[in-house]
Amino acid sequence: MTNVNPPHTGKQNPPIEVHDLTVAYEQKPVLWDIDFELPESKMTAIVGPNGAGKSTLIKAAMGLIPSSAGYTLIYGKPLDKQRRNVAYVPQRESVDWNFPISVMDVVLMGRYPHLRLFQRPSRKDREIATESLKQVGMEEYAKRQISQLSGGQQQRVFLARALAQDAAIYLLDEPFAGVDAATETVIFNKLQELRTLNKTVVVVHHDLQSVPDNFDWVMLLNLRMVAFGPVDTTFTDENLQKTYGGRLNILSQMVERSRQQRFIRETES
Amino acid sequence: MDLFFEFFSLQDPNIRYVLAGTILLGISAGALGCFAILRRRALVGDAVAHAILPGVCLAFIVAGGKDPFMLIIGAFIFGLLSMVTMDFITRNSRIAPDAAIGMVLSVFFGLGVVLLTFIQSTGYIDQSGLDDFLFGQAAAMVGTDVRVFGGLSLLILVLLIMAYKELKLVSFDIPFARSIGYPVKRMEFLLALLMVMTITAGIQAVGVVLMAAMLIIPAAAARYWTDSLRVMLVIAAGVGAFSGITGSFMSFTAPAMPTGPWMVVSAALMFLISFLLAPGRGEIARHVQRKKLSFKIACENILKTIYSLEEADGRTDRVRTCGELAKKRHIPERKLQKVLTSLLKKGLIAWYRGNPDGYVLTVTGRDEAQRLVRVHRLWEQYLNQQLHIAEDHVHEDAESMEHLITSDIEDQLRRSLGSPALDPHKSKIPYKDDGGKGGRPGSKLPDGDNRINNDPEEYPLKPGKSDKDHKKREGRS
């Protein structure tokens, strides 16, 4: 696989910069003023309780859902100019796995950013897709229909598609949700391998226990960013308490209140 | 019959024209319909089809009669207008999409009927052929119509093939498509445009009322035969083409009859055939599968029953009579006979003539029964130990799971539980390696050997001669 090098500018720009990102669903604010710069070649986990806005954050950062405010830069450039460099792995449930296509078809979609509109994948694209399937141990399933896959296999196919995209940044939304132990190992190993290839990896994660052993950086999220930094200094009991703290804090009370009042936030997008 | 030959000999150039037109229409509607149903937009198609009626009527008014170009423009405008309206309602109100679709369909169609009545009440406009747009009349197509509508179908087909990769992506995974910067909005608009074009192309041959069926039914039928989008498109196109042929044939044989209903009926027939006969997914195949599974379960249950009788009295050399098994298992005699015959054939049990006549497990049969009891009890133990389900709640679940547990899952269960000796009810879990012990002389015999150690005084056993013999004897009991 060819290595996509980050575009070099005089000053090294971070892989992802997010500024003042705010997202509201139906007048209900779900993310407030998120601001961060992702470190290069590190593995970052985004953790937080259910409904904290973890998936929303990466979807909004990728411009997949409208945000009320904020913007994203990739290596200092506008997101839309850099999309090929960002491989996004949606949650498994976001697609219909009964859709009549084969595993190979799905992985080949990872090559689409390298193809022009209406251009068919070439033999080379097929080779890259096969290689990506091999890397997640799924090459024998290339011709299989996707409805015949187990949950873990579906997730591996999604990862293979991202690998086929050959990007510099990998954003994965809950890749470990409902997968078997073997798949979990395959994915972790693959992500660590990506990091050694100087790729930047971000994972929306729900298993706190596996954070210290597998990630370099961590973002603790609960409607707002509670803490963000290297795991050693950031993944502390105090920060976790702040993120997962049981009682409704003032912020979530305000969220609930504004929802009830059908408070309309100024939206611009 | 003569008509049939006259039609299919294709001597009449008009027949050739009309046939080409309806086949093209069937192909493009069938193929595009696949994307419509996969994206769950089938009902939108129905609404759009109904909503173009006012456009058709306005085209008549403007052109002062039937003019294919004006028709296309009118239908097109109202098709798009209906789509925009549905989208607008869903986006800007709390009304759910299905209600918005229903509203647009009926309001636009109602408006169309009003216009239709208006045209019919005035004498100024040449209204010949206007009624045909409700239910279609393929035979009324003349050369220009065919060229215009057929050309439109061809254009749809070309666009579909060209944008196949993009349409596939947008139908399967929109979030990913957006993430790589694909023009998702434009692709969705292209699909909407293609749908309006297809419906427009069909107004003459099928009519607005039934056009949606030509989008939905061929695609729904095709889904039964394949798991490949490409093949599905081809089959749906084939079903569409077949309906087109049927429709035009009927239109020629019975000119008073509208074409649309015939096309829809023949497509529906193809759907029915697919629904019943498709391998794997069709109803008949599924019924056979269910029957097979339930028979397999019945067989396994009888094996287990004999095994449990052996466990109870510790005698592997005692025959179990038909009545005994029927009583123990609550299974109708007829089914029991079938099950026993199948088990005999597979060499899992043997029949012995004697006093009384009955059955014993063969070595392979006992192994299989033991395996079933083993996975049953392992599963109970798993539910009890690892999922903390009370021991009086685990049996029912294990009764069904035992038939599904593969040797791979059995291994995992054994590893995870550490090959426990007892199940939650303190029954011994039988493992293969201790099969020789505990009064199972049968297992010392080689596979398929039905000889067993017996006590001739208690049970003077003689092996039964054949299956036929077995049936005859059973028939009397």
Side-chain angles (χ1 to χ4, degrees):
Chain A
M1 259 201 251
T2 54
N3 218 331
V4 177
N5 289 314
H8 285 289
T9 48
K11 177 179 149 274
Q12 190 68 35
N13 282 308
I16 299 185
E17 262 178 273
V18 169
H19 287 281
D20 308 326
L21 189 70
T22 298
V23 181
Y25 278 153
E26 310 237 331
Q27 288 90 44
K28 180 187 178 186
V30 288
L31 281 177
W32 296 67
D33 295 328
I34 309 288
D35 218 64
F36 63 91
E37 285 185 8
L38 221 56
E40 172 104 56
S41 312
K42 294 275 188 285
M43 244 174 101
T44 304
I46 302 180
V47 295
N50 283 335
K54 304 182 293 279
S55 298
T56 306
L57 172 59
I58 59 171
K59 278 185 203 152
M62 282 296 285
L64 305 179
I65 52 171
S67 44
S68 314
Y71 63 94
T72 306
L73 295 179
I74 306 292
Y75 292 113
K77 289 191 182 164
L79 173 68
D80 279 332
K81 296 227 153 65
Q82 290 281 354
R83 285 192 176 274
R84 187 196 289 191
N85 260 336
V86 189
Y88 167 64
V89 179
Q91 281 183 22
R92 209 153 38 85
E93 296 79 33
S94 67
V95 302
D96 171 15
W97 289 94
N98 279 319
F99 198 86
I101 51 176
S102 68
V103 167
M104 189 59 171
D105 284 333
V106 175
V107 180
L108 270 176
M109 287 177 183
R111 299 302 301 163
Y112 285 14
H114 300 267
L115 300 170
R116 274 175 284 112
L117 224 52
F118 308 136
Q119 187 190 3
R120 295 288 154 96
S122 67
R123 176 198 285 260
K124 177 101 177 89
D125 293 316
R126 288 184 173 276
E127 279 165 14
I128 292 171
T130 308
E131 175 57 28
S132 309
L133 272 174
K134 218 175 261 173
Q135 291 185 34
V136 296
M138 291 283 292
E139 68 271 31
E140 287 155 35
Y141 292 82
K143 292 204 172 121
R144 216 51 99 72
Q145 210 278 329
I146 56 168
S147 68
Q148 296 167 4
L149 303 177
S150 71
Q153 290 168 336
Q154 291 173 351
Q155 194 63 57
R156 290 195 216 184
V157 169
F158 260 14
L159 180 59
R161 179 173 70 179
L163 295 174
Q165 193 179 332
D166 195 15
I169 302 165
Y170 288 79
L171 299 180
L172 296 90
D173 197 348
E174 297 268 9
F176 301 106
V179 305
D180 51 289
T183 299
E184 191 175 286
T185 315
V186 168
I187 298 179
F188 264 131
N189 289 344
K190 201 63 227 165
L191 295 182
Q192 256 134 28
E193 202 183 311
L194 286 173
R195 178 180 46 185
T196 61
L197 293 168
N198 288 327
K199 313 276 186 181
T200 303
V201 180
V202 181
V203 178
V204 170
H205 200 49
H206 63 279
D207 177 22
L208 290 177
Q209 286 183 344
S210 58
V211 169
D213 288 340
N214 293 285
F215 293 92
D216 313 308
W217 279 51
V218 66
M219 180 187 297
L220 295 162
L221 195 76
N222 193 352
L223 303 175
R224 81 292 181 199
M225 205 167 76
V226 178
F228 178 52
V231 169
D232 295 342
T233 53
T234 313
F235 199 65
T236 59
D237 285 346
E238 194 196 340
N239 279 337
L240 284 170
Q241 180 58 35
K242 268 197 241 165
T243 315
Y244 287 84
R247 296 238 157 224
L248 279 180
N249 57 29
I250 297 167
L251 175 59
S252 47
Q253 282 177 46
M254 281 309 293
V255 166
E256 191 52 31
R257 203 175 144 71
S258 60
R259 192 182 65 81
Q260 283 165 0
Q261 308 275 320
R262 301 199 65 197
F263 162 81
I264 298 173
R265 242 180 110 89
E266 292 288 318
T267 53
E268 21 163 333
S269 66
Chain B
M1 225 14 161
D2 284 348
L3 261 169
F4 185 82
F5 285 118
E6 189 195 327
F7 182 80
F8 285 102
S9 66
L10 303 177
Q11 294 294 326
D12 184 344
N14 198 38
I15 291 179
R16 285 206 295 268
Y17 259 139
V18 170
L19 206 54
T22 50
I23 288 176
L24 268 177
L25 171 71
I27 290 174
S28 56
L32 184 72
C34 293
F35 289 106
I37 69 162
L38 288 172
R39 299 176 66 237
R40 296 163 211 276
R41 296 286 197 285
L43 263 185
V44 174
D46 199 20
V48 171
H50 280 78
I52 62 177
L53 187 60
V56 170
C57 292
L58 283 175
F60 261 76
I61 294 173
V62 172
K66 190 179 141 187
D67 175 293
F69 281 107
M70 287 305 274
L71 275 174
I72 286 189
I73 293 168
F76 213 78
I77 291 174
F78 273 79
L80 283 182
L81 193 64
S82 68
M83 280 208 167
V84 172
T85 315
M86 281 184 270
D87 201 44
F88 181 83
I89 295 175
T90 346
R91 216 182 279 249
N92 293 295
S93 72
R94 294 180 145 256
I95 294 165
D98 62 330
I101 292 169
M103 266 162 58
V104 167
L105 184 151
S106 39
V107 171
F108 275 67
F109 189 65
L111 182 66
V113 173
V114 169
L115 284 173
L116 195 73
T117 326
F118 168 74
I119 293 172
Q120 284 166 342
S121 69
T122 64
Y124 301 110
I125 301 158
D126 173 17
Q127 51 180 285
S128 65
L130 183 58
D131 283 346
D132 293 345
F133 290 104
L134 280 179
F135 293 107
Q137 184 54 274
M141 284 170 141
V142 293
T144 356
D145 297 341
V146 173
R147 272 193 291 277
V148 172
F149 292 115
L152 195 57
S153 301
L154 209 60
L155 178 66
I156 294 160
L157 217 55
V158 169
L159 286 172
L160 262 183
I161 293 168
M162 226 172 73
Y164 173 72
K165 168 179 131 242
E166 284 70 22
L167 297 179
K168 181 167 71 174
L169 175 63
V170 170
S171 306
F172 174 63
D173 192 348
I174 288 182
F176 177 75
R178 285 216 182 98
S179 82
I180 58 173
Y182 251 61
V184 172
K185 280 244 166 70
R186 261 177 282 164
M187 285 302 154
E188 288 186 312
F189 183 70
L190 174 67
L191 269 169
L193 211 63
L194 285 171
M195 189 185 258
V196 176
M197 280 164 73
T198 314
I199 288 163
T200 307
I203 46 175
Q204 172 79 74
V206 191
V208 297
V209 177
L210 294 174
M211 187 52 211
M214 288 304 294
L215 282 171
I216 302 167
I217 301 176
R223 189 68 186 87
Y224 275 92
W225 299 92
T226 179
D227 271 333
S228 150
L229 181 59
R230 207 177 281 262
V231 180
M232 182 180 167
L233 289 169
V234 172
I235 295 176
V239 173
F242 173 78
S243 319
I245 295 169
T246 321
S248 7
F249 176 64
M250 289 318 294
S251 186
F252 273 96
T253 45
M257 242 188 276
T259 329
W262 281 106
M263 288 179 80
V264 172
V265 165
S266 68
L269 198 69
M270 302 285 273
F271 175 81
L272 192 67
I273 291 170
S274 313
F275 175 75
L276 291 175
L277 299 180
R281 256 194 221 102
E283 272 313 297
I284 291 175
R286 282 175 43 172
H287 181 76
V288 170
Q289 264 166 19
R290 273 196 296 268
K291 277 271 168 208
K292 263 192 193 153
L293 181 68
S294 101
F295 190 71
K296 179 185 160 239
I297 289 175
C299 287
E300 293 185 348
N301 281 338
I302 291 301
L303 277 185
K304 254 180 35 182
T305 307
I306 304 179
Y307 184 83
S308 72
L309 288 168
E310 280 186 1
E311 258 192 341
D313 60 13
R315 297 287 300 259
T316 54
D317 53 353
R318 174 179 275 165
V319 297
R320 316 295 166 176
T321 65
C322 208
E324 210 178 338
L325 296 173
K327 208 169 111 199
K328 185 105 195 196
R329 204 63 228 180
H330 306 294
I331 172 174
E333 191 94 4
R334 265 182 69 91
K335 189 166 181 191
L336 181 61
Q337 283 306 328
K338 276 192 196 159
V339 166
L340 289 169
T341 311
S342 155
L343 288 173
L344 272 173
K345 261 192 204 141
K346 285 187 201 137
L348 295 171
I349 56 172
W351 183 72
Y352 280 88
R353 171 192 296 217
N355 187 25
D357 296 342
Y359 302 88
V360 290
L361 292 172
T362 63
V363 178
T364 16
R366 187 166 298 106
D367 276 352
E368 175 61 10
Q370 218 178 58
R371 185 189 69 79
L372 288 161
V373 170
R374 181 168 64 242
V375 297
H376 177 108
R377 290 178 184 166
L378 279 171
W379 185 251
E380 287 185 334
Q381 184 69 4
Y382 169 73
L383 290 182
N384 182 243
Q385 286 297 303
Q386 303 203 344
L387 305 185
H388 308 292
I389 295 170
E391 60 263 22
D392 54 340
H393 283 59
V394 294
H395 176 76
E396 285 304 313
D397 192 61
E399 268 305 289
S400 48
M401 287 308 169
E402 67 192 13
H403 305 292
L404 300 175
I405 293 176
T406 59
S407 64
D408 181 44
I409 293 175
E410 184 192 330
D411 286 348
Q412 288 182 37
L413 282 172
R414 276 183 75 165
R415 244 177 291 136
S416 147
L417 295 163
S419 297
L422 299 174
D423 75 0
H425 315 293
K426 308 287 172 248
S427 303
K428 199 161 175 285
I429 299 179
Y431 295 108
K432 218 171 184 172
D433 15 296
D434 58 30
K437 290 178 278 172
R440 289 192 190 87
S443 54
K444 283 191 188 117
L445 294 172
D447 250 13
D449 192 329
N450 294 338
R451 279 177 299 133
I452 54 169
N453 297 342
N454 59 53
D455 182 348
E457 264 152 53
E458 205 180 335
Y459 300 108
L461 295 182
K462 255 189 270 163
K465 271 179 204 128
S466 65
D467 272 356
K468 216 165 126 199
D469 192 15
H470 144 78
K471 269 181 203 145
K472 203 169 71 201
R473 300 284 307 194
E474 289 304 337
R476 276 200 286 155
S477 63

